[in-house]
Amino acid sequence: MITLQQDAEGFVRMNRHYPASVRITVAFHDGTTGEYSGKALNNAYDAALAEFRAKNGLDAKGYTRNASGRKNPGNKVEFVPVHPGMGE
């Protein structure tokens, strides 16, 4: 089982997808805990990544199609917003 800790701003550190079938415990900032499937957290990661790309004018693969090349060399997010009662 994997345990993630929510920070004071409401995010967990997650820089990759987890297997969909794994159960992940999230310890929230207010002291409560929740157990989620890898699929639920992967969906939250994908949503955060899509928002990041939209805010930075990148396409679906993380590139800007201008002559200047990529804007973000890592092209990934490391912090994903979570909250108690997230849907599966």
Side-chain angles (χ1 to χ4, degrees):
M1 178 169 293
I2 299 170
T3 303
L4 301 175
Q5 178 69 42
Q6 183 186 41
D7 64 11
E9 287 82 32
F11 296 91
V12 294
R13 186 176 191 114
M14 182 178 163
N15 58 6
R16 63 181 174 88
H17 277 172
Y18 291 109
S21 61
V22 72
R23 299 303 293 175
I24 301 169
T25 302
V26 177
F28 295 104
H29 185 66
D30 64 1
T32 61
T33 60
E35 188 173 310
Y36 303 98
S37 68
K39 182 179 179 182
L41 286 176
N42 290 344
N43 290 341
Y45 177 84
D46 291 340
L49 184 59
E51 180 182 344
F52 170 79
R53 288 177 176 167
K55 284 182 180 178
N56 290 294
L58 305 175
D59 68 4
K61 291 188 175 185
Y63 291 95
T64 177
R65 296 300 176 189
N66 298 335
S68 63
R70 285 174 64 161
K71 286 186 177 180
N72 179 15
N75 188 32
K76 59 183 177 179
V77 294
E78 290 200 28
F79 297 98
V80 177
V82 294
H83 55 84
M86 286 187 332
E88 285 285 324

